[in-house]
Amino acid sequence: MTWKNARDLPPPVPHQVVCPSSLVVNWKRELARFAPGADTVTYLGHDRSLDGITPATIVIITHGVLRRDHATLAARTWDLVVADEAQHVKNPASQTARQLRTVPSAMRLALTGTPVENNLSELWALLDWCCPGLFGTLASFRSHYATAAERDPTGPSAQQLALIAAPLVLRRRKTDPGIRSAPAVVGQGQGCRPPARLPGPGRRPCCRRRLSRIWRAVHGSTEERITVSKKAEAPLAERIRDHGARPACPSAY
């Protein structure tokens, strides 16, 4: 173990949060709640500037600003860079992912609810940004872990990958104790037998009126929904006979 004097440590530098524009206000609110003394700056707008920030400053930027001002952001050294909604950078070839990799930092943290949606290459993109070089190149990761793990999720390659990634991933499940989340998804299927023949011209006005009532039951006022729901006792499959009609715009009928 090597002990270092405080004079040998690098000087403190600011922190950065990269998130979608819809989460900027949420980050400011949460920082004010959990770190009320923190100096928070939103690097947004036409007159945005990094002048005047201190080593204790937390700079909040969006993905769009990162793409436009990547040279300015990469010219500074950051202590911690947090990538919220990190699924936006799980494609290593995307412009956002490439610009984020140019920002130097001592620590990196990726926050996402969907780390893997299509294949394990997306997991490599996130882990390689957080810990560069951990799994080598993408081609090496595919040949050593991903291809075999995608083929057999319970095989030795998948277990070895999970063992290496476990210390780096803090995962929260809905089944964890103390987690308040939405209830489990309940699916309800309803069969619909297509008619033997399409309705003739004489039947179309009737079908359009029924579709209009169904649309009002979904999108109308409370009184309309109550009135229509009392009339809509027959199955929906028996009411919708005109396959060409669309209830999204009843005024077109």
Side-chain angles (χ1 to χ4, degrees):
M1 180 179 294
T2 303
W3 296 93
K4 289 188 177 182
N5 191 285
R7 292 176 299 179
D8 300 328
L9 296 176
V13 289
H15 314 280
Q16 182 185 139
V17 175
V18 185
C19 65
S21 56
S22 59
L23 296 180
V24 171
V25 175
N26 184 69
W27 267 98
K28 293 180 63 177
R29 183 173 59 248
E30 294 299 308
L31 285 171
R33 176 184 177 187
F34 294 101
D39 179 24
T40 305
V41 173
T42 52
Y43 183 66
L44 301 171
H46 296 289
D47 56 346
R48 57 183 178 267
S49 174
L50 296 176
D51 296 336
I53 65 173
T54 66
T57 302
I58 302 175
V59 181
I60 304 175
I61 68 172
T62 63
H63 296 116
V65 171
L66 171 67
R67 291 191 295 268
R68 289 189 291 270
D69 292 9
H70 64 91
T72 302
L73 298 170
R76 287 177 172 266
T77 301
W78 305 85
D79 184 20
L80 171 65
V81 174
V82 178
D84 196 5
E85 297 295 337
Q87 65 270 14
H88 289 85
V89 296
K90 63 186 179 183
N91 177 10
S94 66
Q95 184 181 7
T96 303
R98 287 187 284 107
Q99 306 300 359
L100 185 61
R101 289 173 179 271
T102 64
V103 179
S105 60
M107 296 177 290
R108 294 174 175 177
L109 178 63
L111 306 177
T112 176
T114 54
V116 178
E117 289 183 295
N118 301 307
N119 52 63
L120 289 175
S121 298
E122 300 170 347
L123 179 63
W124 173 89
L126 298 180
L127 292 178
D128 189 69
W129 175 72
C130 293
C131 303
L134 176 65
F135 290 103
T137 63
L138 177 58
S140 175
F141 174 77
R142 294 292 310 175
S143 62
H144 284 86
Y145 302 102
T147 302
E150 290 170 355
R151 188 184 304 114
D152 184 10
T154 60
S157 296
Q159 295 178 4
Q160 186 179 9
L161 174 60
L163 185 65
I164 298 175
L168 307 173
V169 178
L170 180 61
R171 183 180 181 184
R172 186 180 65 174
R173 305 169 184 264
K174 289 185 177 180
T175 56
D176 290 345
I179 299 298
R180 297 177 57 187
S181 60
V185 178
V186 178
Q188 214 171 17
Q190 180 177 358
C192 180
R193 187 180 61 183
R197 60 182 180 85
L198 293 176
R203 289 282 309 280
R204 292 183 186 272
C206 178
C207 294
R208 289 167 180 162
R209 286 195 300 270
R210 290 177 177 176
L211 289 172
S212 180
R213 285 205 302 269
I214 294 172
W215 188 92
R216 292 199 307 273
V218 177
H219 302 283
S221 62
T222 304
E223 292 78 7
E224 287 179 327
R225 289 198 297 268
I226 294 176
T227 303
V228 174
S229 62
K230 291 181 179 179
K231 295 180 180 179
E233 297 177 355
L236 182 63
E238 297 180 6
R239 289 182 170 269
I240 301 179
R241 294 298 187 183
D242 189 352
H243 288 193
R246 297 182 180 272
C249 184
S251 60
Y253 300 140

